[in-house]
Amino acid sequence: MTGMNSPARNGPPERTRFKLDGRSVALDRRIHAARGDLADLALAGTLFSAHYARAVALTCVAPGTPILSAPSASGEAVSELLRGETFHALDVMTDWAWGFCGHDGYVGYIRREALDVFETPSHRIIAETAPLFRAPDIKAPIADYWPGGALFSGEAEDGFIACAEGFIHARHAAPLDAPAADWVAVAERYLGQPYVWGGRGHRGIDCSGLVQVALGQCGIAVPRDTDLQCEGIGNPIDSDAVLQRGDILFFPRHVGIMIDGKTLLHANAHWMAVVAEPLADVVARLAGDHAQPIIARRRIGA
């Protein structure tokens, strides 16, 4: 079969031949960019498609913006991109771009206005929310607020990190080469933040988003959704093992983090917030609908 990549800067489009060995396979479309009319060029040897496109790396320049299931404001939010994170665009339209997130491969649509040319970040926001000042002065007007985990490129200046959009206080950011050491402490910064389906920390967060961003700030990349995390985080621990800080517990369509042997930290729709509550209370609440409320236990480094 024949695929075509993006046009060259000068001259006609470059053509490349691909050979598909065997039958086209069914892939998880959440993390493999393929739709009815177009697929990622990287899938050319695995999945048949009428057309392929080579991904173009762009940077999210909004503080946070949803990844949607369809190119419409009414589309379901499936995830969220934070400022400075990479989006690999395969199809760019007037108002929307379709592609996948650089940090986890998650596929969806994003507003075109939220994207700009690729930027190599140098720092990460480590506060739950960081004000973006217009000048290197804590009394200066605030231009915006960036969420924890947001990435940006900047240089140290008078106790601030100067970037293209303004100034972030040095206490609110850290170099990317200095990741946080305690991922549970990172997760605890989100206590009280509203529960938002698909959120990863810009004005709201969901259960698997909390796990992903907290681990991500410690340099540990994990999948986006609960079922993928259950398969891909750490190692399983026995059901009778004594729980400890940092253990990850999975429930039907839900995940939480143990902050000690008895307390679960989780973003949840029951309280519509990130809360810490006794694990026994969570289990009791789920027991009426699920014979086995806890379906898996995993530990990083076990």
Side-chain angles (χ1 to χ4, degrees), residues 130-154:
L132 175 69
F133 296 94
R134 294 189 183 277
D137 184 338
I138 61 172
K139 296 181 181 179
I142 295 172
D144 211 338
Y145 293 89
W146 286 354
L151 308 175
F152 66 102
S153 178

Side-chain angles (χ1 to χ4, degrees), residues 105 112 117 155 253:
R112 178 65 183 86
V117 295
E155 298 287 340
R253 301 178 299 281

Side-chain angles (χ1 to χ4, degrees), residues 3 55 77 92 179 296:
V92 179

